[in-house]
Amino acid sequence: MVEVAHPGRWPRRSFWLGLVGVLVVLVTLELVARFELLPARWFPPVTVVFGALIELLPTGDLWADVGRTLQGWALGLGLAAGLAVPLGLLIGSVEPAYRACRAVIEFLRPIPSVALIPAAVLLFGIGTGMKVFLVAFAAFWPILFQAVYGVQDVSPGVKETARAYGLGPLARFGRVVLPSTLAYVATGLRISSAIALILAVTAELVVGAAGLGRAIVTAQTAAQVPRMYALIAVTGILGWLLSTGFHAVEARLLHWHPAQRKEVLA
Amino acid sequence: MIRRGLLLTLEIAVPVLLLAGYAVWAARAQSFYFPPLGTIQERFAQLWLFERVPDDLLPSLRRLGIGYVLCVLLGVGAGLLLGVSRVVQQAVQPLAEFLRALPAVALIPFGVLVFGFGDSMRIFIIVVGAVWPILLNTIDGVRGVDPGMLEMARAYQVGRWGRIRGIVVPAALPRVVAGMRTSLSIAIILMVVSEMVAGRDGVGYFVLESQRRFAISDMWTGIILLGIVGYLANFLFVQAERRLLRWHRESKGLAR
């Protein structure tokens, strides 16, 4: 969505409208629960959920769980980026490398990352290693494809110009290819960040590695319904913060490279 | 010409060498976790041609199909409605963004609570997790329609329905399809995860159950099957997309 830049006018209006939208939904949910239009034991009022959230906030448990989820997210995403960016640069710039990897990539990519959960449990147990492996596998692909696409999308004219100015291969790579590719890598990181969080939470939820996912299941099985909703809300806020953060960083770092950036769908 | 031949050889040789390498290594190493290729292949034929297809594969595909179709209908329908009014769209945007950022798997315990362990819980999870890319992209696409075109159509007395069908839908379609593609891979992930949580059937259930029984070859066949499902789903999608958007590529000079 491209917001037209009317400083201080449109964005502010959209902010208030958004706030109204959120409030309307919250109030509706509250009323639905208060008048018991939906079964009360499944749908507690929003205020009760909010109370549960307030109760959770000062406890160390919540923050420890957030920390564990974030740890899996960060390690996996970092590992994925560390592998995918160099490989993407290589595949993107050297054709034999691209051809050599193509079939293997085409074979591995469609495997839904979550299908590997059982294999990951076998190989890494049920701790952080398993979580990091799953997150890294899933987060690897968008970064790889964005990096390859970024290298290949450098305009030939620019490369020729750099060559004409007598830049050596290394200088051309560092000054022309790399900056342009970084824009795409940033986009890949943003896409992967969301996927990484999904996988981290899934690993906790399905296998029972410590973190927010497991805490949600625990609350559900213990019939602590408001607590379950509060934890789901925390997970959502975490996802929203990460995605907003990546958008902001992307916009700030890459303001010089706006129009050419596209998301290639992995 | 020689270069092309070499590249093609490389493209074929590397996967073949990798497979052969694995076959030799697995036969020698007798690793418990990595059974020989022959064993996996044998088990795959025994299990998935076609003994367990009706028990596990078809239920999975049914959930995926129903869930995905619901996603498309809800996402496109709501997106068209919301996209038409700027006020409503701005009021809904933050909520939709929040729900998209929420990892849908976190809603599985909620789904279990409300729907129990049946199919409806799994379909609910697929819809609630995978509808957002379609919805947000449809809103985006509708908002990106050239207002001049709409004005002109109005001036020519084209009715509301005609304007939607003739101008809004074609203009929004490329964005919608891009959203549908993202949505498809999310839907497959959610299908698998929802089957892993207290499932009774489905390929996701089968894979996890095999691991718990330490039937390692069976587990790998399930993983490979899910890879095939993912590959075919994507392949079919791309084919359909080519047909649906041919005019778009041609108009942008991208036709091949």
Side-chain angles (χ1 to χ4, degrees):
Chain A
M1 185 78 215
V2 183
E3 283 286 338
V4 188
H6 291 299
R9 276 206 295 149
W10 278 112
R12 193 173 289 172
R13 192 175 103 121
S14 72
F15 171 79
W16 289 115
L17 277 171
L19 193 66
V20 168
V22 173
L23 287 177
V24 165
V25 169
L26 289 180
V27 169
T28 313
L29 285 176
E30 175 79 19
L31 291 177
V32 162
R34 290 288 174 198
F35 289 106
E36 302 199 3
L37 298 175
L38 289 167
R41 68 202 155 97
W42 294 338
F43 297 98
V46 177
T47 41
V48 174
V49 174
F50 195 72
L53 184 59
I54 298 291
E55 264 174 42
L56 271 174
L57 284 180
T59 63
D61 296 0
L62 176 70
W63 300 110
D65 281 334
V66 170
R68 289 187 194 111
T69 303
L70 272 179
Q71 182 200 32
W73 170 86
L75 291 176
L77 192 63
L79 186 61
L83 293 171
V85 173
L87 187 65
L89 288 173
L90 179 72
I91 294 179
S93 34
V94 184
E95 209 197 337
Y98 170 68
R99 299 291 285 265
C101 293
R102 185 155 79 178
V104 181
I105 290 173
E106 288 293 322
F107 175 74
L108 287 179
R109 181 182 62 160
I111 299 179
S113 40
V114 290
L116 291 172
I117 288 176
V121 171
L122 275 184
L123 298 174
F124 298 98
I126 59 166
T128 312
M130 179 268 307
K131 206 195 290 184
V132 171
F133 167 80
L134 286 171
V135 170
F137 180 87
F140 178 78
W141 305 106
I143 305 175
L144 179 75
F145 288 108
Q146 291 290 138
V148 171
Y149 194 73
V151 174
Q152 292 177 344
D153 207 43
V154 178
S155 104
V158 176
K159 276 197 262 192
E160 283 306 314
T161 313
R163 198 187 305 242
Y165 276 108
L167 264 64
L170 214 61
R172 285 206 301 274
F173 183 78
R175 294 201 181 177
V176 178
V177 177
L178 207 56
S180 152
T181 309
L182 273 181
Y184 288 85
V185 170
T187 308
L189 274 176
R190 171 167 58 75
I191 301 171
S192 285
S193 150
I195 299 176
L197 187 66
I198 294 181
L199 264 290
V201 175
T202 308
E204 294 156 5
L205 204 113
V206 175
V207 184
L212 280 171
R214 190 176 74 179
I216 295 173
V217 178
T218 312
Q220 181 240 322
T221 38
Q224 296 171 314
V225 179
R227 185 191 173 96
M228 179 191 85
Y229 285 113
L231 287 165
I232 292 177
V234 170
T235 313
I237 293 167
L238 191 61
W240 182 80
L241 283 177
L242 289 176
S243 112
T244 313
F246 268 92
H247 267 294
V249 170
E250 208 182 338
R252 180 159 286 208
L253 277 182
L254 303 164
H255 57 93
W256 53 273
H257 190 287
Q260 292 182 29
R261 248 177 318 125
K262 279 180 292 198
E263 284 183 21
V264 283
L265 289 154
Chain B
M1 208 50 220
I2 294 172
R3 190 181 146 78
R4 271 179 72 182
L6 277 177
L7 284 176
L8 191 66
T9 321
L10 196 62
E11 189 162 357
I12 297 169
V14 170
V16 170
L17 280 178
L18 278 177
L19 268 183
Y22 176 81
V24 171
W25 173 80
R28 282 242 192 114
Q30 297 287 329
S31 161
F32 179 65
Y33 298 140
F34 297 100
L37 266 189
T39 318
I40 297 179
Q41 193 193 339
E42 224 168 79
R43 285 304 287 163
F44 191 92
Q46 282 168 8
L47 288 167
W48 301 112
L49 303 173
F50 293 86
E51 196 194 312
R52 293 198 71 94
V53 167
D55 303 336
D56 284 318
L57 183 57
L58 290 184
S60 288
L61 292 180
R62 193 182 63 232
R63 287 170 202 137
L64 179 66
I66 297 176
Y68 187 61
V69 167
L70 283 176
C71 282
V72 173
L73 292 178
L74 282 174
V76 173
L80 283 176
L81 284 177
L82 295 175
V84 172
S85 153
R86 188 170 177 96
V87 173
V88 179
Q89 177 253 324
Q90 284 181 337
V92 171
Q93 192 87 13
L95 267 179
E97 296 282 357
F98 176 79
L99 287 171
R100 173 167 68 171
L102 171 74
V105 287
L107 289 171
I108 290 182
F110 166 73
V112 169
L113 197 67
V114 177
F115 293 97
F117 289 108
D119 265 12
S120 31
M121 178 275 277
R122 300 174 213 286
I123 291 168
F124 166 78
I125 291 299
I126 292 176
V127 173
V128 101
V131 74
W132 309 110
I134 303 182
L135 177 72
L136 289 166
N137 273 24
T138 308
I139 293 178
D140 244 31
V142 173
R143 297 240 52 100
V145 175
D146 180 2
M149 296 265 276
L150 287 176
E151 279 305 315
M152 189 156 72
R154 203 167 299 163
Y156 278 107
Q157 315 264 316
V158 180
R160 171 177 279 264
W161 177 237
R163 288 201 302 273
I164 289 182
R165 218 182 43 184
I167 298 173
V168 176
V169 169
L173 205 54
R175 294 286 291 148
V176 176
V177 170
M180 282 169 64
R181 190 162 178 191
T182 313
S183 175
L184 182 60
S185 49
I186 299 178
I188 294 178
I189 289 180
L190 292 174
M191 171 196 89
V192 176
V193 179
S194 73
E195 287 169 355
M196 283 178 172
V197 179
R200 278 176 302 233
D201 55 6
V203 186
Y205 163 79
F206 174 85
V207 173
L208 194 64
E209 194 52 31
S210 304
Q211 179 251 315
R212 289 188 176 147
R213 287 187 289 118
F214 289 101
I216 306 304
S217 304
D218 292 9
M219 178 193 85
W220 286 113
T221 67
I223 292 175
I224 292 171
L225 182 70
L226 285 172
I228 296 174
V229 168
Y231 181 84
L232 282 181
N234 194 52
F235 176 79
L236 291 176
F237 191 92
V238 171
Q239 295 302 314
E241 182 185 14
R242 288 224 165 129
R243 298 218 147 174
L244 202 59
L245 294 183
R246 183 176 292 148
W247 56 271
H248 176 64
R249 283 207 318 272
E250 278 166 3
S251 72
K252 297 246 162 173
L254 299 168
R256 271 182 285 178

